[in-house]
Amino acid sequence: MPSSRHPLVAVLLASTLALSACATQAPASARVSVTPTQPASVQTMAPGHTATTSPSASAASPTAPTETQMPAPTSTDGSVPGEKPSGSVQPGASLPAQASLDNVDCSKAKCIALTFDDGPSEYTSRLLDILKQQQIHATFFVLGAWAKLHPDAVRREAADGHVVGTHSWNHPDFSKMTDAQIMDQINRSVTEIQSLTGKKVTLLRPPYGAMKKPMPKTGLSIILWNTDTHDWQNWKVPNPQKTISAALAQARPGCILLLHDSHGPSVDAVAPIVSKLKAKGYTFVTIPELFDGKLQPDVIYTGRGK
Ligand code: NI
């Protein structure tokens, strides 16, 4: 198991709010869970957790890390994929869908989906400039509490044509929470994101890729990943080259690549990654595009197989 520590940033926002920033699955013994009811505190650089190579390494995640089938219809509770959600009413049902499809046929093209977790942050604006310059679209899994801190970044993500999904309100471990707590995390963040973008949120990436089994039905498609650059490990000693090398070594058609716009060195790695993969014939698409716009609610996706 990797032993690197990941910096955890917790910021006092309100009496019951603390934030943590990280997205990689950790062993249960090493996970840090910040629940909505945690007493208020100000923490910086608290010990983090170790990482595995995929979001699905623990029993909490029912999909194997190598799962790349299309559309990988793994229901979170064994029910029929596409079945109407039975959980809380999803906010924003009347809002328009996000990002139209760009007529890319990912059954033929070498598609790859860049995904950015744990933002928005002070680095997101620079990342959006890079994506615009590269003329590509990505998918952002934002934290509701950070969206409240950086609302312009979320507005611009949507305005620039990127897809914005939820990464929860403040990054707790869903595998250790009640259904009601999970739904509160999701509903609060979805409401915040939709108030900024004016578009319906349809995608969820659980923090750490950790899920309760069974997960409550949220009506959102659950998007994990199958390509992990471990970019956040370069947080203390900035090393974009490591992230670039990892991305280039692991990229394959149909993959979902995990990066974090909460870290400057990760953003530094994006332009070289995109340029080099474009040169290899890759087309960059959003998550809905990667799956031909046919994502189903409460189904887990980790990538598109070839
Ligand atoms: Ni995260």
Side-chain angles (χ1 to χ4, degrees):
M1 296 292 290
S3 60
S4 302
R5 291 293 187 181
H6 172 56
L8 189 89
V9 181
V11 176
L12 173 64
L13 282 180
S15 60
T16 59
L17 173 65
L19 290 174
S20 68
C22 175
T24 8
Q25 176 71 43
S29 60
R31 281 190 209 134
V32 175
S33 176
V34 183
T35 71
T37 54
Q38 178 162 321
S41 62
V42 178
Q43 303 170 37
T44 55
M45 303 298 289
H49 46 266
T50 56
T52 60
T53 54
S54 85
S56 308
S58 85
S61 299
T63 306
T66 53
E67 175 66 77
T68 56
Q69 296 305 303
M70 163 69 183
T74 311
S75 175
T76 53
D77 65 354
S79 62
V80 178
E83 190 181 357
K84 209 169 182 180
S86 58
S88 301
V89 176
Q90 187 188 339
S94 60
L95 293 175
Q98 299 188 58
S100 60
L101 301 177
D102 286 339
N103 294 321
V104 180
D105 182 354
C106 290
S107 70
K108 295 174 181 167
K110 287 171 70 175
C111 290
I112 184 168
L114 293 186
T115 61
F116 295 94
D117 287 12
D118 293 3
S121 77
E122 61 190 287
Y123 308 111
T124 303
S125 174
R126 183 157 59 88
L127 171 60
L128 289 168
D129 290 343
I130 292 167
L131 296 176
K132 180 166 270 187
Q133 197 168 30
Q134 293 283 351
Q135 297 185 299
I136 64 169
H137 289 139
T139 304
F140 289 84
F141 291 99
V142 308
L143 295 168
W146 284 132
K148 211 171 178 58
L149 285 177
H150 302 279
D152 287 346
V154 178
R155 288 190 193 99
R156 188 179 160 197
E157 285 169 1
D160 282 3
H162 306 292
V163 171
V164 186
T166 176
H167 196 41
S168 79
W169 180 257
N170 62 352
H171 216 282
D173 182 342
F174 283 179
S175 70
K176 298 177 178 175
M177 299 170 71
T178 65
D179 286 3
Q181 287 174 321
I182 292 171
M183 292 309 300
D184 178 64
Q185 282 277 326
I186 293 171
N187 283 327
R188 286 170 70 197
S189 60
V190 165
T191 298
E192 181 67 28
I193 294 165
Q194 289 179 164
S195 75
L196 295 170
T197 66
K199 294 176 181 172
K200 186 178 178 182
V201 171
T202 61
L203 307 180
L204 162 68
R205 174 168 284 165
Y208 314 99
M211 284 175 279
K212 191 177 177 189
K213 201 172 182 179
M215 270 284 283
K217 291 214 163 195
T218 66
L220 307 178
S221 302
I222 298 174
I223 311 300
L224 301 181
W225 61 92
N226 55 16
T227 307
D228 190 349
T229 62
H230 291 262
D231 58 319
W232 53 266
Q233 289 179 308
N234 301 320
W235 188 86
K236 267 189 175 176
V237 182
N239 191 341
Q241 189 55 50
K242 270 191 176 177
T243 302
I244 296 166
S245 299
L248 296 179
Q250 297 178 58
R252 59 192 184 279
C255 79
I256 298 175
L257 183 66
L258 171 65
L259 290 162
H260 296 79
D261 60 317
S262 49
H263 301 317
S266 301
V267 173
D268 294 336
V270 172
I273 289 172
V274 172
S275 295
K276 291 177 193 297
L277 290 178
K278 273 182 176 176
K280 291 183 176 181
Y282 280 93
T283 299
F284 289 85
V285 296
T286 63
I287 290 293
E289 288 172 331
L290 185 64
F291 295 97
D292 306 326
K294 294 174 181 171
L295 291 165
Q296 297 181 60
D298 298 296
V299 172
I300 300 165
Y301 299 84
T302 59
R304 175 174 181 146
K306 281 283 179 186

